[in-house]
């Protein structure tokens, strides 16, 4: 007997399609009924690229500027609360949190607390702001006003060099 997953909204359609289904050997060649097809899903961007202002210098002297950060989960935000390093020094919370959500930094895919500890303060401040933007606001764009002409426009804070558009 063949099992089917049934949702409450499409029960009648699935029962009707089963009643009208051809013999088992013909069923394999026929297309799936409309009720069995998966509906289009809305996509959610869960990973965001960034470029550090200064860059992380590894043990061999290579500079890593570009990386990616994923959206934080509730577990990511709760886990540092039980970390002994955070209990001893609450300022360490951002180091542990960032090390959990940074998925890549240049060629480095294992970003741990030791990597974040050795970053320049400018880069850590950038990553803290980037974390806040993607997890609170859901995007990396910010509205700014030119101090000279007072024109308003939007900039992408996820990277790019100063002066580039």
């Amino acid at each position: 007997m063949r099992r089917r997953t049934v949702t409450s909204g499409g029960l009648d359609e699935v029962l009707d399609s089963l009643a009208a289904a051809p013999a088992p050997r013909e069923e394999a060649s026929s297309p799936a009924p409309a009720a069995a097809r998966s509906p289009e899903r809305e996509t959610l961007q869960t990973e965001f690229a960034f470029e550090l202002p200064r860059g992380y210098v590894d043990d061999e002297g290579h500079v890593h500027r570009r990386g990616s950060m994923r959206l934080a989960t509730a577990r990511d935000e709760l886990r540092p609360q039980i970390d002994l390093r955070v209990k001893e020094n609450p300022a360490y919370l951002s180091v542990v949190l960032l090390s959990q959500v940074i998925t890549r930094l240049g060629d480095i895919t294992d970003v741990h607390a030791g990597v974040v500890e050795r970053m320049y303060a400018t880069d850590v401040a950038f990553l803290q702001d980037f974390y806040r933007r993607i997890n609170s606001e859901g995007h990396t764009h910010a509205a700014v006003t030119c101090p000279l002409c007072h024109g308003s426009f939007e900039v992408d804070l996820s990277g790019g060099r100063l002066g580039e558009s």
Side-chain angles (χ1 to χ4, degrees):
M1 180 176 218
R2 195 169 157 202
R3 292 184 183 194
R4 292 184 185 248
T5 304
V6 179
T7 60
S8 61
L11 182 60
D12 294 330
E13 295 163 351
V14 172
L15 291 175
D16 291 341
S17 70
L18 285 173
R25 66 182 98 107
E26 293 176 353
E27 184 178 8
S29 63
S30 66
R37 290 186 203 130
S38 62
E40 285 189 35
R41 296 182 186 165
E42 184 179 326
T43 60
L44 173 67
Q45 183 178 359
T46 59
E47 198 159 310
F48 298 84
F50 62 81
E51 186 171 335
L52 296 174
R54 298 214 186 271
Y56 169 72
V57 182
D58 64 15
D59 293 333
E60 286 107 36
H62 298 116
V63 178
H64 304 274
R65 276 204 166 109
R66 294 185 178 175
S68 59
M69 181 184 293
R70 66 173 173 78
L71 290 175
T73 62
R75 175 176 281 170
D76 293 326
E77 296 212 348
L78 292 171
R79 185 175 288 147
Q81 302 297 329
I82 60 171
D83 192 299
L84 293 176
R85 298 169 294 186
V86 174
K87 287 184 178 184
E88 291 175 9
N89 182 3
Y92 202 75
L93 182 130
S94 64
V95 171
V96 175
L97 188 56
L98 288 173
S99 70
Q100 292 180 137
V101 296
I102 297 173
T103 57
R104 180 184 55 78
L105 185 57
D107 298 335
I108 303 167
T109 55
D110 180 26
V111 181
H112 50 81
V115 171
V116 179
E117 283 176 354
R118 294 184 2 216
M119 287 183 179
Y120 294 109
T122 307
D123 292 335
V124 174
F126 169 85
L127 289 169
Q128 288 171 332
D129 185 55
F130 190 73
Y131 175 91
R132 183 186 55 78
R133 285 191 179 279
I134 68 172
N135 285 289
S136 299
E137 300 168 12
H139 59 81
T140 60
H141 296 137
V144 296
T145 304
C146 175
L148 299 175
C149 70
H150 302 290
S152 296
F153 55 97
E154 193 173 84
V155 295
D156 186 357
L157 300 174
S158 64
R161 306 305 304 148
L162 291 176
E164 290 182 357
S165 54

